[in-house]
Amino acid sequence: VPAVYELFYWPGIQGRGEFVRLALEDAGAPYLDVARLSGRGRGMKAMFALMDGPGTRVPPLGPPFLRHGRFVLSQTANILLYLGPRLGLVGRSEPERLHAHQLQLTLADLVAEAHDTHHPIAVSLYYEDQKAEAHRRARHFVRERLPKFLGYFERVLVKNGGRYLVGRGHSYVDLSMFQILDGLAYGFPRALTRLERRIPRLLALAERVRARPRVVAYLASPRRMPWSDDDLFRAYPALDQLA
Ligand SMILES: N[C@@H](CCC(=O)N[C@@H](CS)C(=O)NCC(=O)O)C(=O)O
């Protein structure tokens, strides 16, 4: 019997865990969202115990991480590199898998830069204690970095035929692109609206992903947590300034 997938991530936010959740959900894979459960071997305590546990050969610096049998693996893109072939969410050839990974790592860079708009100086400080720097950082993000990243992914998509970001079919990269556009619509609605006509194929891709039956079911379920201002993307209007 193949071991059930166990995801470990902060309960209460979508965060980086959501890229892994979406893949598991879209594939209809049995999994446990361990830190959100209670009982023996579950919850946040279990998450911390595993991070520092003697059985964890290479400990993660932080969540998300995945346990599959006795194998523990962290880094979002790395987890998806592992899950992709097992869930049928990437093509078969090595070049295609590595290109999917390339795109996923680039999405992770975008996620980090979006995060750093509200935490430009230190993750350990509140947004309120780094507001001036946050505003300055966000201005460059919205004007320079976001158009660059989204323009890049639009080009990649068009070059690949316009339907999928990589290979000949749906992949975890398409799911992650959907998730990021959903987060941007929450955190940077004005900036995204301004860019809309430059990324028509990406937006169409996100709508196709949103309409996938298992994604529809997942988004309507209590397993999908709402966006909030404790998350990667935050609805701070001061950061969503175009001028
Ligand atoms: N590059 C890693 C980043 C992981 C990460 O930053 N995790 C956050 C939560 S989303 C965390 O709790 N990190 C602990 C820390 O950096 O101290 C990934 O993509 O998985």
Side-chain angles (χ1 to χ4, degrees), residues 9-10 15-16 61-64 74-77 108 232:
Y9 192 67
W10 303 113
R16 290 178 171 91
L61 177 74
S74 84
Q75 286 284 1
T76 310
L232 285 173

Side-chain angles (χ1 to χ4, degrees), residues 102-120:
Q102 169 185 327
L103 297 177
Q104 193 65 39
L105 288 166
T106 310
L107 288 174
D109 291 342
L110 170 54
V111 164
E113 291 196 25
H115 168 274
D116 289 353
T117 60
H118 49 81
H119 281 81

Side-chain angles (χ1 to χ4, degrees), residues 29-30 64 108 111 120 147-149 152 158 161 170 185 212 234 237 239 242:
V111 164
K148 176 165 183 170
F149 274 103
Y152 167 74
V158 168
H170 171 69
R212 290 174 65 80
R234 302 186 179 189
L239 301 186
L242 301 164

Side-chain angles (χ1 to χ4, degrees), residues 147-163:
K148 176 165 183 170
F149 274 103
L150 294 185
Y152 167 74
F153 282 106
E154 178 80 9
R155 274 200 320 281
V156 166
L157 179 57
V158 168
K159 205 157 186 180
N160 195 46
R163 222 172 146 74

Side-chain angles (χ1 to χ4, degrees), residues 157 162-163 165 174-182 192 199-212 215 219:
L157 179 57
R163 222 172 146 74
L165 277 165
D174 295 329
L175 292 167
S176 293
M177 190 77 242
F178 155 76
Q179 173 63 13
I180 286 177
L181 288 167
D182 198 60
L192 191 59
I199 54 163
R201 309 301 292 261
L202 274 189
L203 294 172
L205 168 68
E207 287 321 301
R208 286 195 299 278
V209 168
R210 191 187 288 282
R212 290 174 65 80
V215 173
L219 295 178

